[in-house]
Amino acid sequence: AYHCTTIVDCNTRKQHGLLVIPIPELDSDNHVLLSSLDETVIQHGAPFNLGLHKYQGNCYSPNGHKYIREFSRMLTPLGIEPALPECPGLLESIEENGATFAENALIKARAVFEATGLPAVADDSGICIDPLGGGPGGRSARYLGEDTPYPVKNAAILERLKDVPDELRTARFTCAIALVTERGEHVFEASCEGKIGYEPRGERGFGYDPIFYVGEKSFSELTDGEKDAVSHRGKALQKL
């Protein structure tokens, strides 16, 4: 099976013709096998830009970043190929100064749409912990410094909550996904309720996943399918 998609120059917005490419292969967990995608397709060929998402100072990359995997395994079966906007310096120029997840997602999606002329999707998300007054919230990526490793951040949160009883350790992941096209703007928001555990567990997740528990399992212990069904990003992507 194949996709047929238009090639558009990021700077001039001129269409250069059509590109026919194989539909990407999926592994047993419905991950898109990025090795099965032609590099030029990732950079130039997709009808949707994935948008930008700051994570330890980086944007989405075509070599297996965890965020692009979550987008890809839900959007690829619908015929939508997430792709990088090939615009040097764009990430550094974006100032995420919104007061909410939705505002920051729109800031990023607008920037990508204005730079490429293509429909743009951007995500902004974070963890909101009730005993910490809803923090880190919108500053989740910058909590204790943007370059601080997440194991250090998670350990600091567990230390702050060491005397908090189980019934008060409530928290939620919240996500806003913005879609900007020539026909308008849309924001899809969703949350996942859970609790902060007493220790990090699991090997599959990233960020705050090891300390965020839904039921008896942390996010890092869930399979991709289990996580997509209940996660904040999975629910928002379903709305999208």
Side-chain angles (χ1 to χ4, degrees):
Y2 293 84
H3 285 311
C4 186
T5 185
T6 303
I7 305 174
V8 179
D9 186 284
C10 176
N11 297 312
T12 66
R13 301 187 185 183
K14 292 182 179 179
Q15 295 187 2
H16 292 290
L18 296 178
L19 180 66
V20 179
I21 60 174
I23 293 177
E25 300 174 18
L26 303 179
D27 64 16
S28 59
D29 291 320
N30 285 326
H31 278 145
V32 172
L33 296 175
L34 295 181
S35 60
S36 70
L37 296 178
D38 186 282
E39 183 178 353
T40 58
V41 175
I42 295 176
Q43 294 178 345
H44 300 292
F48 269 69
N49 284 309
L50 186 55
L52 300 174
H53 189 299
K54 287 188 177 180
Y55 179 77
Q56 297 184 349
N58 298 319
C59 68
Y60 287 118
S61 69
N63 57 354
H65 192 287
K66 295 178 178 64
Y67 285 108
I68 198 171
R69 289 177 180 172
E70 290 197 9
F71 274 76
S72 294
R73 66 178 180 247
M74 296 194 71
L75 297 182
T76 297
L78 303 178
I80 300 171
E81 285 302 323
L84 283 169
E86 200 173 67
C87 301
L90 179 59
L91 176 61
E92 292 76 14
S93 69
I94 297 176
E95 184 177 359
E96 296 181 46
N97 54 10
T100 65
F101 295 118
E103 290 177 4
N104 281 328
L106 276 170
I107 288 171
K108 290 180 277 191
R110 287 167 181 161
V112 175
F113 174 72
E114 290 171 2
T116 66
L118 297 175
V121 178
D123 162 298
D124 197 64
S125 58
I127 191 169
C128 305
I129 303 172
D130 292 331
L132 300 183
R139 296 190 57 81
S140 293
R142 297 179 289 278
Y143 179 64
L144 299 182
E146 194 164 352
D147 295 327
T148 301
Y150 274 93
V152 175
K153 298 182 182 188
N154 289 335
I157 290 174
L158 293 179
E159 176 63 23
R160 292 183 65 181
L161 300 185
K162 65 180 181 180
D163 296 324
V164 177
D166 185 67
E167 65 271 14
L168 298 180
R169 301 173 73 90
T170 51
R172 66 205 51 81
F173 268 120
T174 298
C175 174
I177 295 178
L179 168 65
V180 176
T181 75
E182 62 183 7
R183 291 183 293 178
E185 300 178 345
H186 305 274
V187 177
F188 307 91
E189 297 183 80
S191 296
C192 177
E193 298 288 335
K195 291 184 177 182
I196 301 300
Y198 293 90
E199 62 179 359
R201 283 195 347 213
E203 303 295 332
R204 300 178 64 89
F206 54 92
Y208 297 102
D209 287 359
I211 64 171
F212 181 78
Y213 285 65
V214 177
E216 300 299 318
K217 291 184 176 182
S218 76
F219 257 17
S220 288
E221 295 178 298
L222 300 178
T223 66
D224 291 337
E226 290 172 336
K227 184 179 180 182
D228 289 343
V230 301
S231 77
H232 53 311
R233 190 170 292 107
K235 292 177 182 177
L237 279 169
Q238 289 171 15
K239 292 181 179 180
L240 169 65

